[in-house]
Amino acid sequence: MDQEQILTRISAMVDEERGLRDALQSGRIDSVTEHERLTELEHALDQCWDLLRQRRAKAEFGENPDDARVRPASQVEDYES
């Protein structure tokens, strides 16, 4: 994935998070469903932010950003920029 694809994916996941919260509030889903999906989204977002950070760092130091790889969620959990 290139930078634009990663940013698009991040945006879509953030939109989905908002949608889940709205769905819970309106009673369309239950809290267990919301919590399970939010957990999945949080892990995927951590991975996307990490991949984006890797790509930017590689580009900054003259390396090929395409060499960046998605790392396991357990490795990038709770990533903070």
Side-chain angles (χ1 to χ4, degrees):
M1 269 192 282
D2 67 21
Q3 181 168 315
E4 283 304 312
Q5 291 170 315
I6 296 168
L7 291 170
T8 298
R9 184 158 183 217
I10 288 170
S11 180
M13 286 187 284
V14 168
D15 289 344
E16 185 177 348
E17 281 183 327
R18 289 184 190 124
L20 285 168
R21 290 188 175 99
D22 290 343
L24 176 65
Q25 189 172 20
S26 68
R28 293 184 311 239
I29 61 173
D30 60 32
S31 62
V32 172
T33 302
E34 182 222 24
H35 178 73
E36 288 173 353
R37 184 60 186 141
L38 282 176
T39 299
E40 292 170 2
L41 285 170
E42 287 169 1
H43 291 170
L45 279 166
D46 287 344
Q47 288 175 301
C48 282
W49 283 117
D50 177 67
L51 182 59
L52 186 61
R53 183 193 57 77
Q54 285 182 62
R55 288 184 60 83
R56 288 176 174 171
K58 286 186 178 296
E60 181 179 342
F61 292 100
E63 297 177 31
N64 184 350
D66 292 334
D67 290 341
R69 296 289 174 247
V70 175
R71 294 191 270 203
S74 60
Q75 188 175 355
V76 299
E77 193 172 8
D78 300 322
Y79 176 77
E80 293 181 16
S81 56

